[in-house]
Amino acid sequence: MENIKWIVLAIAVAMYALVIAKQEKKVIFTTVAAILVIILGIAFPGAIFTTGSERLYALTHAFSSLVNWNVLMIYVGSMTVAALFLYSKVPAKIADWIVRVSPSTGIAIVLILAMTGIISIFVENVATVLVMAPIALSLCKKLKMNPTMFMVGLAVMSNLEGTATLVGDPPSMIFASYAGYTFNDFFIHSGKLSIFFVVQTGLLAGCLFFYAVFRKLRDKTEVEGEPVISVVPAILLLGLIFGLAAISFIPNEIPFLSGSFVMALGIFGILWYLLSQKKTGGETWELIKGLDWETIAFLIGIFVVVGAISETGLLKDFADFLSKITGGSKLAGFVLVLLVSILISGFVDNVPYIIVMLPVAGNMASSMGINPELYLFALLIGSCLGGNLTPFGASANVVAMGIVKKEGYPMNFGKWLKLGGTFTLITTAAAAIVLWILWA
């Protein structure tokens, strides 16, 4: 039975290697890997998913617990609202205004990316990317510019700022539960500046990085104003943003509440498109069919495989190993927690990783007699910002890649690593330096 977890690890490693090598076939690889994991779970009950001994438990558990249907519902509903938002021509109008008031096109792009990060403080990262993508695509079309770097920027900036508050991202919520943090503790804790301000250092570094990327776009671009078709999709979009923010504050949130809310907005938008805009059934179906269903299938496979890795205990084994090799050095422990978190989260979903590592990081800090926040914050920053390292390190990255592929600009692992990897190193280093100064 012990060997089963190594088989699961081998399947996951092979899956990631094939996804890196053949991006265009990623759905096939993740689907096959998920099926293999489920078959192993059925053949060896209790070996992978230790909470159930029935043979069919692996199948039911995979699709009832491992797959995050709430995130997928948010994704589908947000995609629908975003598509209607683009149809309405409102994002084109916003792009016109930003370009018009900015001293240069490069600064206009940086402002849009900063706005993306700010929205992500309160709204789930995938939803944020889908909200901002139509604006970015509209601006790129006006400038006749490849949207790849812009879309990568949306993803990494949303992942960055999602760490800043209790409601920004699931890892932040898990951390708050473990450390007993309130919403306000993310701003000031024990009389010191807390994680929010550490993350803002990363935001400033990220804005400077993207200004360096887009600084060649110095001239102001003259754009022709486009008439707005309707403001209804914009109202749906605002409802999505404020609704998700409000739901985040509900204690003991009802399961699937946020996903159901966003799906309801998407369904309402489809009905508005069909009836109010007097579209035919065929036109409406084309809108639905044009959504990024490939990414949905890819994420389902990822959820199953990563969930299996977590439940076999592989992450716990690795965490125990890390706790033994710090040698009692505060700085060595800090750097180790940070770097390992970046590397692991670049390939593995950060939620199961941070659940396993929080007690380890806390115990490491306690045994050295130092502020636990030093290691806990390092873990939080590394696991969240590390998701920017690879194109599949975070769901928002997968979504961004799906969007640029749909626009005719497929992106491979190397291209992402050049931009996203550099961004990760710069923003994480900036945040880590401030974290060390404040809490070491």
Side-chain angles (χ1 to χ4, degrees), residues 12 27 79 84 134 136 153 189 200 244 261 280 312 318 376 396 413 425:
V27 173
M79 274 198 303
L84 294 172
H189 183 74
Q200 300 321 302
L244 284 178
F261 168 72
T280 65
T312 57
F318 189 65
L376 294 178
F413 183 84
L425 293 176

Side-chain angles (χ1 to χ4, degrees), residues 66-139:
L66 299 185
V67 176
N68 193 330
W69 295 109
N70 195 56
V71 167
L72 296 182
M73 290 167 70
I74 289 174
Y75 182 39
V76 173
S78 298
M79 274 198 303
T80 305
V81 174
L84 294 172
F85 187 50
L86 183 60
Y87 160 80
S88 73
K89 302 296 183 183
V90 171
K93 203 73 172 179
I94 295 174
D96 293 343
W97 180 80
I98 291 176
V99 173
R100 192 162 53 248
V101 300
S102 299
S104 70
T105 302
I107 290 178
I109 292 174
V110 173
L111 288 174
I112 292 172
L113 293 177
M115 183 167 64
T116 301
I118 292 168
I119 292 174
S120 188
I121 291 175
F122 302 101
V123 177
E124 201 273 333
N125 297 344
V126 170
T128 302
V129 170
L130 290 167
V131 163
M132 298 302 293
I135 297 174
L137 293 175
S138 180
L139 180 56

